[in-house]
Amino acid sequence: MLDTDQLRSFLAIVDTGSFTKAAERVHKTQSAVSMHIRRLEEQLGCALFVKQGRGARLTAEGESLIDFARRIVQIEAGAVAALSRKGLRGAVRLGIPDDYAESYLAEILGRFTRKHPMVEVSVSCEGSPELAQQVSAGALELALVTDHPGLHGFELLCEQPLVWAASERFHIDDGAPIPLALGAVSCLWRREADEALAEAARPTRGLFFSKNFSAIGTVVRAGLAITTLPESMVGEGLRILGAAEGLPELPLTRMGLIHAPGRPSEEAKALANAIRETVSLPARRAA
């Protein structure tokens, strides 16, 4: 039988990328986490990690263990919740813009469901202003949104620069207008881009506009246009553009939580904690 405490330490290393951060997550010493991995490797008869510089990377066997470990830990949590009658069992309604959803939602839900496997989560993807209205009306219990004028009860989780992002294969022709792929008129990041470009010397042209971030991302990754993103969300295959390309500096963007009026449910409080733990991880996507 595999020890679930050892599996939790293993998954914490996978999720955080280091033994030190994993120890903080599972509330153990680093030596205890290292011991868990050694015992797990002894039982399985294979190495799960190999040293790489100051860190460690998964072996092929370690990669294979991930899905099994998550299922085992989740089944244990589900059994405890179902039989002890102590676990949360309700439902919670979350709002999140689809750009944040692409970067954060899987990790938020993974973190939440590992602890609360009996809770049903409903997710609505809209722009931050629309989500704020739904939260205020009680249609959603909480939402992860971008701060904007008129927003009440905003809990700041992350503040970072908004930047111009393009595919690594994007090419700028000398003197030609830079093509843009941005959100709809109501998009807060598009407003910031429009205001900054109004004072810029570099010519640009609107190529593609959409409320759907996946569509924007497809255009940008294809090297057809540039867009705006929080710095931590400039992922693999993208690069940051700026003054060297004649583009103006963009302001800071603030991401955080808002809650529906009244006393939050235990499910909503637990989901909010999972969001805080995920979004507040430093330099997680360089985020």
Side-chain angles (χ1 to χ4, degrees), residues 4-182:
T4 51
D5 280 342
Q6 294 172 8
L7 292 177
R8 287 190 189 91
S9 292
F10 168 75
L11 290 173
I13 298 168
V14 171
D15 291 341
T16 64
S18 81
F19 280 66
T20 301
K21 292 178 182 177
E24 295 174 359
R25 175 180 288 192
V26 298
H27 306 294
K28 297 185 182 297
T29 64
Q30 186 173 338
S31 60
V33 168
S34 297
M35 178 62 72
H36 277 178
I37 300 305
R38 283 198 296 271
R39 289 176 177 171
L40 197 54
E41 290 176 330
E42 289 170 1
Q43 184 175 0
L44 294 172
C46 61
L48 299 175
F49 296 95
V50 293
K51 289 185 177 180
Q52 187 176 50
R54 295 184 178 180
R57 64 174 176 84
L58 284 162
T59 62
E61 292 79 6
E63 292 279 2
S64 299
L65 179 61
I66 293 174
D67 287 342
F68 292 110
R70 293 201 193 283
R71 291 205 297 270
I72 291 169
V73 170
Q74 188 166 357
I75 289 170
E76 182 198 49
V80 171
L83 299 176
S84 70
R85 301 183 183 276
K86 294 180 180 179
L88 299 179
R89 293 169 166 272
V92 60
R93 296 158 296 167
L94 168 68
I96 183 171
D98 66 346
D99 38 30
Y100 290 162
E102 186 166 306
S103 291
Y104 296 104
L105 186 58
E107 188 170 345
I108 289 169
L109 293 181
R111 188 186 298 271
F112 179 73
T113 56
R114 285 195 292 274
K115 293 182 180 179
H116 310 288
M118 306 299 288
V119 177
E120 177 183 301
V121 182
S122 300
V123 178
S124 175
C125 290
E126 297 284 351
S128 292
E130 292 83 3
L131 291 176
Q133 293 175 3
Q134 293 180 40
V135 169
S136 179
L140 297 172
E141 291 172 82
L142 71 165
L144 180 64
V145 298
T146 300
D147 193 12
H148 57 275
L151 191 61
H152 301 291
F154 179 79
E155 176 192 345
L156 177 65
L157 298 182
C158 179
E159 183 178 70
Q160 58 186 307
L162 193 64
V163 298
W164 301 101
S167 168
E168 291 178 348
R169 54 181 173 166
F170 177 76
H171 175 71
I172 301 177
D173 295 323
D174 291 341
I178 297 178
L180 305 174
L182 299 172

